[in-house]
Amino acid sequence: MKLYESQLSKKSKEYKSRHGAMLTKLSELNLYLKQVKEQNPKAVEKLRKRGKYPAREKIAKVIDAGTDVLEIGALAAWNMYQDIPGGYPSAGTITVVATVSGRKVVIIANDPLVKSGAWVETTCKKNLRAQEIAMDNRLPIIYMVDSAGVNLERQAEIFPDKLHFGRIFRNNAKMAAMGIPQISCVFGFCVAGGAYLPGMSGDLAMITQHSSMFLAGPFLVQSALGQVVDMETLGGASMHNAISGVADYQFDTEDEACEWIRNQVAALGKRSAGVFARIEPEPPKYDPEEILGVLPFNATGTYEMCEIIARIVDGSRFEEFKPHFGLTLITCFARIGGFSVGIVANRGKQVYRQMPPDEHGNPQPPQVQIGNVIYSDSANKASHFIMLCNERLIPLVFLHDVTGFMVGKMAENNGIIKDGSEMVNVQANSVVPKFSIIIRNSFGAGNYAMAGKAYDPRLIFSWPTARLAVMDGGVAADTVLLTKKNLDETAKKKFREELVKKYEYETSPYFSAARLVVDGIIDPRKTRDTLIWGLEMAENNPDVPEYRTGLLRL
């Protein structure tokens, strides 16, 4: 593959301005992440006096020393539950992909310091996403249970729809049938329907005097049956280990339980893997720090996407597929962390499409194309490339900066609906692992074509500069105003300002991260590391179905 010859000048005023603007964005991100991870010192001390650890500390005791984790949904529920004192930081659950006893695993840990681990809608959504990652990649999953169950004041958010609480237990059963190891330890409360989660796991441990499991607690039992029974007798660790047989192991301390989890993972057999091509990894030639100086601070400024790719891929080398055709999309082969990958990326700058001579053989001026718009030729190129990667078992990486498909008379005459439909079709039927990074814009059907959340990427993260929406807020406001014929100019101005403000709030990456539309917001310098995490996860699942598409309107 060819080394990309970078044209980025670190001494330029433009680079320094963009680098500084991104650092400001990252300061905001780091502040928000610190806030969701901070806990009340008095509450933590109270927990320790009971011989218990905070959720993040429990995870740290289980994972291999010196290894990192990939956190999913750290900003889940961000600013969503302002009617509840303290809100729901990280949706009351910590979810990570981590290394335990040398194996990649998914860990879900309830946070008892967030409303006693009670679940709201976003908690459920986050757990389902963690299970989805485990199923897609055939990763063992560890449940660290310490939850009071459903937040009864908000039960309608979590029961009884398809993707509500019951889906978790359905997934427990599906994972069992798939042969995915599920290891549970109840560290505290495990109440009502929530008891099915550990009850459906392959291994279940409890901790003496700390753990309790029951479908109905002492108060409900007394209310419903008139029976007066204490918590330990009703569902404590000793009862479930010696009498009911629901639990398999009993420990006296959380330290013992964490060591047991490590030992369980260490004893797991390993299925054959490695269907995706991997060689010895090589760092990029260009410093990933320089990524911070590539992207303009505003949403419309231009840049060269290849400069970003060159700071993500091995050796800063990649080979473009159809480099002279469909110029608003870059399609290229490269390696990331030694893995062979196909990359589909929006160009980021204006390009000029070569036009055929006219009917008299006279040369025609080139057609100007907007870099973050998908035209018919770009869609056709991407469809061909996605099918090629599926045929060759090459994972796909999508770098989003797309405002949508081209519109207008010429685009419609050229069949943009047909060409866009073809791209969405091959995307929907793609069977190789897909990973999406939203760098700046991800609007409308462009989001779908570039493997947005609805198209099952194994991981989807955004940069702090990301914006996700049907379209730009200003464009949306102007479009709606064309239908508001009875408003005077003052009313139109006010309406536009309010709608643009609403879009600015809703297109924020924090809005999307809070609702788990993305798995999180990352420092652009961590893009390569995040993709390597995803590729190493995907390597655990060697079962890739045969690639097929339905009818394509060619």
Side-chain angles (χ1 to χ4, degrees):
M1 296 180 187
K2 296 178 182 178
L3 172 68
Y4 177 75
E5 296 295 339
S6 176
Q7 303 300 310
L8 197 65
S9 172
K10 294 170 64 176
K11 296 181 180 180
S12 71
K13 184 178 179 180
E14 183 180 71
Y15 172 88
K16 292 177 181 178
S17 174
R18 293 177 177 187
H19 190 278
M22 186 64 84
L23 286 177
T24 300
K25 288 276 189 182
L26 290 174
S27 295
E28 180 183 54
L29 171 63
N30 291 330
L31 174 63
Y32 293 161
L33 288 172
K34 181 181 178 183
Q35 288 175 353
V36 299
K37 293 177 182 179
E38 281 182 341
Q39 294 183 309
N40 186 318
K42 291 183 179 179
V44 172
E45 184 58 30
K46 185 177 179 181
L47 200 66
R48 294 192 194 283
K49 285 180 179 179
R50 294 165 52 202
K52 295 168 66 69
Y53 295 109
R56 293 185 186 276
E57 283 191 34
K58 285 203 289 279
I59 291 173
K61 286 181 174 294
V62 167
I63 67 173
D64 291 355
T67 61
D68 294 325
V69 301
L70 179 67
E71 184 161 357
I72 305 297
L75 291 164
W78 173 256
N79 275 349
M80 283 182 65
Y81 296 91
Q82 297 181 29
D83 58 320
I84 299 175
Y88 254 82
S90 293
T93 299
I94 314 304
T95 299
V96 299
V97 182
T99 307
V100 176
S101 300
R103 293 282 296 269
K104 286 282 187 294
V105 302
V106 176
I107 301 176
I108 301 175
N110 300 128
D111 189 345
L113 296 183
V114 179
K115 310 302 176 226
S116 299
W119 292 43
V120 290
E121 180 184 18
T122 315
T123 319
C124 184
K125 191 172 183 181
K126 187 171 179 178
N127 277 257
L128 289 173
R129 176 59 176 153
Q131 289 182 321
E132 181 180 40
I133 290 171
M135 289 189 284
D136 284 345
N137 300 287
R138 295 290 177 93
L139 297 179
I141 188 165
I142 297 165
Y143 304 106
M144 294 180 163
V145 184
D146 195 343
S147 172
V150 171
N151 184 322
L152 295 180
E153 295 180 46
R154 309 181 81 99
Q155 66 86 26
E157 299 175 1
I158 201 169
F159 181 87
D161 208 347
K162 180 177 180 179
L163 296 180
H164 282 172
F165 203 62
R167 187 75 172 187
I168 293 168
F169 315 133
R170 175 265 190 193
N171 286 351
N172 286 139
K174 290 290 186 180
M175 283 190 282
M178 294 168 67
I180 296 174
Q182 299 178 78
I183 300 166
S184 284
C185 183
V186 179
F187 286 87
F189 289 120
C190 186
V191 181
Y196 292 122
L197 187 149
M200 297 179 75
S201 297
D203 292 294
L204 169 56
M206 298 180 71
I207 301 169
T208 307
Q209 298 298 318
H210 285 191
S211 304
S212 56
M213 289 177 62
F214 29 66
L215 296 183
F219 292 133
L220 181 53
V221 168
Q222 183 176 358
S223 174
L225 303 177
Q227 295 178 1
V228 177
V229 60
D230 63 79
M231 199 170 295
E232 272 298 304
T233 305
L234 182 64
S238 297
M239 191 283 289
H240 279 307
N241 272 272
I243 299 175
S244 75
V246 168
D248 309 308
Y249 301 89
Q250 182 174 348
F251 301 102
D252 293 328
T253 67
E254 290 194 350
D255 287 304
E256 291 176 296
C258 290
E259 185 61 27
W260 169 78
I261 291 172
R262 288 186 50 78
N263 291 338
Q264 291 299 104
V265 175
L268 296 175
K270 193 170 184 179
R271 298 177 183 274
S272 60
V275 296
F276 305 113
R278 190 179 196 185
I279 61 175
E280 188 67 26
E282 178 185 358
K285 176 184 176 182
Y286 304 115
D287 188 352
E289 173 71 28
E290 296 169 355
I291 290 179
L292 302 189
V294 175
L295 197 68
F297 182 67
N298 59 53
T300 57
T302 62
Y303 64 100
E304 177 53 73
M305 177 65 82
C306 288
E307 297 286 358
I308 293 173
I309 295 173
R311 286 157 179 83
I312 294 173
V313 301
D314 289 11
S316 300
R317 293 189 301 271
F318 54 90
E319 192 73 39
E320 280 203 58
F321 173 76
K322 288 184 178 290
H324 307 297
F325 182 77
L327 299 179
T328 64
L329 276 178
I330 299 167
T331 51
C332 63
F333 294 105
R335 287 189 181 270
I336 297 178
F339 288 97
S340 178
V341 297
I343 299 174
V344 181
N346 304 105
R347 179 67 68 175
K349 68 177 185 179
Q350 184 173 282
V351 295
Y352 299 90
R353 182 191 180 195
Q354 184 177 337
M355 301 299 290
D358 65 17
E359 58 185 3
H360 303 295
N362 299 317
Q364 296 292 305
Q367 179 191 30
V368 178
Q369 293 187 332
I370 304 166
N372 55 4
V373 173
I374 301 174
Y375 292 75
S376 284
D377 55 347
S378 299
N380 289 334
K381 178 171 82 168
S383 297
H384 186 169
F385 185 73
I386 291 168
M387 289 190 286
L388 194 62
C389 288
N390 274 272
E391 177 188 84
R392 298 180 179 181
L393 292 181
I394 297 175
L396 283 157
V397 173
F398 295 87
L399 303 178
H400 295 223
D401 187 2
V402 58
T403 55
F405 285 90
M406 191 58 190
V407 297
K409 181 179 178 181
M410 182 180 293
E412 298 295 354
N413 287 346
N414 288 337
I416 188 65
I417 293 175
K418 168 178 63 67
D419 298 322
S421 297
E422 177 186 351
M423 186 175 174
V424 171
N425 189 317
V426 299
Q427 182 69 271
N429 287 294
S430 179
V431 294
V432 295
K434 298 182 292 190
F435 306 93
S436 281
I437 304 292
I438 301 172
I439 288 175
R440 191 166 61 170
N441 302 309
S442 189
F443 291 163
N447 171 274
Y448 307 154
M450 294 292 290
K453 186 67 176 292
Y455 289 79
D456 299 324
R458 298 288 179 94
L459 292 175
I460 179 168
F461 281 88
S462 73
W463 286 10
T465 46
R467 300 192 306 158
L468 293 91
V470 169
M471 63 181 70
D472 173 78
V475 175
D478 291 339
T479 303
V480 176
L481 277 173
L482 291 174
T483 70
K484 305 253 181 214
K485 301 184 184 298
N486 296 328
L487 297 181
D488 59 29
E489 290 305 312
T490 301
K492 285 182 178 181
K493 183 179 178 181
K494 181 181 179 183
F495 176 87
R496 190 182 193 282
E497 288 174 352
E498 290 177 350
L499 189 58
V500 169
K501 185 177 180 180
K502 183 175 186 288
Y503 263 70
E504 285 176 356
Y505 170 67
E506 293 177 350
T507 60
S508 159
Y510 296 98
F511 184 92
S512 296
R515 291 153 183 81
L516 290 164
V517 175
V518 294
D519 293 320
I521 305 173
I522 59 171
D523 184 326
R525 294 168 292 191
K526 297 291 185 183
T527 302
R528 173 180 166 85
D529 293 340
T530 303
L531 290 171
I532 291 173
W533 263 102
L535 290 161
E536 289 180 342
M537 282 166 30
E539 194 178 26
N540 285 274
N541 185 0
D543 297 330
V544 181
E546 179 185 356
Y547 179 64
R548 298 182 59 187
T549 63
L551 175 70
L552 298 178
R553 300 180 66 87
L554 300 177

